[in-house]
Amino acid sequence: MKKFFLCLFVVMTAGSYAQNAESNPSKISAVGVGTVNAFPNAAQITITFMHIKPTLREAVNENQKTMDDVYKIVSKYVKDTTDIKTSLISTNKATKWDDRTNKDIFLGFQSNQKLIFTLKALDKMQDFTEELLKTKFNKIEKISYFNTGANEFMKQAEELAVTDAIETTKRLAKVSMVKIGKILYIQSSKSPNDNSNNRVDSYGFETFGKGMGGRGVSSSGELIKYTVNVTMHTEIME
């Protein structure tokens, strides 16, 4: 009886080992990297408005007038005006700390608002900002540069990453003097539809109080890198 159990145990152990070896074959793991560079061809622009007046009505009216002026300018550069987004007007008391009296001094009532739109023709950036400087806007809060072909660039980067992973696997196999078989596993670090980190942001353009001296912004943003990592497992043939 003991021999029977021992024999059964050996058979089960051998079977489990074979099953485990089959489900976890020997493999080469490699990481491929693909990068595609491109300059931006569009920009999302955030414009802020801030007005301080003696009365709340005056502050709101001044804000609305400036918004209307800027909206007319932006409409020249945006084909679909539904893409122009405006926030609600927020209001508050405006104060300034006075070191002499050691207290806040009331300055008036403040109104704030934002306008956001996408400029799809960067060659018009300077013309746009030159027109904008003629209005009473507060500042260009943020310009987020991007490329409308980001999806295609990401696909190209992904394909380059796969090619890199395959070449790395073959090189490792050659150096190790092993024969490789089929690809067992492959994973991409990023989807072509994931546009996060595919923008170059510029903050706080010195436009407050016409700080640019009437000159427009001609910057087109920095080079954008679209990078994808691919992890690949390839079978080692016995």
Side-chain angles (χ1 to χ4, degrees):
M1 182 66 68
K2 290 182 178 179
K3 290 183 179 179
F4 173 75
F5 280 130
L6 180 60
C7 180
L8 180 61
F9 175 75
V10 172
V11 171
M12 290 180 64
T13 302
S16 298
Y17 176 81
Q19 185 178 6
N20 186 61
E22 184 177 346
S23 60
N24 297 284
S26 299
K27 58 183 179 290
I28 291 178
S29 298
V31 175
V33 180
T35 300
V36 174
N37 298 321
F39 278 106
N41 64 358
Q44 186 179 76
I45 302 173
T46 302
I47 301 171
T48 61
F49 306 90
M50 183 186 72
H51 296 281
I52 299 174
K53 293 293 180 180
T55 67
L56 183 59
R57 181 180 294 276
E58 286 178 299
V60 171
N61 288 344
E62 186 72 12
N63 192 102
Q64 190 59 59
K65 182 180 182 305
T66 305
M67 170 64 79
D68 291 342
D69 292 340
V70 172
Y71 193 93
K72 290 177 183 178
I73 294 171
V74 172
S75 299
K76 298 179 184 179
Y77 298 89
V78 179
K79 292 182 178 180
D80 187 357
T81 55
T82 60
D83 290 336
I84 305 173
K85 309 299 181 183
T86 58
S87 69
L88 296 175
I89 297 177
S90 63
T91 58
N92 202 353
K93 289 183 178 180
T95 60
K96 181 180 179 181
W97 181 259
D98 186 12
D99 291 329
R100 186 176 59 83
T101 59
N102 202 34
K103 64 179 182 180
D104 282 326
I105 303 299
F106 177 70
L107 300 177
F109 290 92
Q110 177 178 305
S111 66
N112 299 278
Q113 196 171 12
K114 291 186 179 182
L115 182 148
I116 303 173
F117 76 102
T118 298
L119 180 65
K120 294 183 179 179
L122 286 187
D123 60 331
K124 301 296 183 181
M125 177 69 83
Q126 185 166 352
D127 294 338
F128 164 71
T129 52
E130 285 178 355
E131 285 195 66
L132 185 64
L133 286 168
K134 298 175 184 178
T135 71
K136 294 181 179 180
F137 79 105
N138 175 240
K139 67 177 179 179
I140 297 177
E141 181 180 288
K142 178 181 176 182
I143 298 181
S144 184
Y145 295 98
F146 65 97
N147 194 296
T148 54
N151 286 9
E152 288 303 316
F153 293 136
M154 288 299 296
K155 290 177 183 178
Q156 293 174 26
E158 195 170 50
E159 292 170 2
L160 290 173
V162 172
T163 300
D164 185 39
I166 291 174
E167 291 177 352
T168 300
T169 299
K170 290 179 179 179
R171 186 174 66 255
L172 292 175
K174 182 178 180 180
V175 173
S176 304
M177 293 183 291
V178 296
K179 185 178 180 182
I180 56 176
K182 61 183 179 180
I183 295 174
L184 302 172
Y185 171 89
I186 185 168
Q187 182 183 35
S188 174
S189 66
K190 202 168 186 181
S191 165
N193 294 320
D194 181 3
N195 291 319
S196 60
N197 300 321
N198 287 340
R199 294 186 174 222
V200 178
D201 295 331
S202 297
Y203 296 91
F205 271 71
E206 296 180 359
T207 54
F208 181 73
K210 306 301 181 286
M212 290 193 302
R215 291 176 292 106
V217 176
S218 60
S219 172
S220 60
E222 299 175 3
L223 194 67
I224 303 175
K225 290 186 177 181
Y226 301 89
T227 300
V228 178
N229 296 329
V230 165
T231 301
M232 182 182 293
H233 299 166
T234 305
E235 180 184 20
I236 295 178
M237 305 296 290
E238 299 296 336

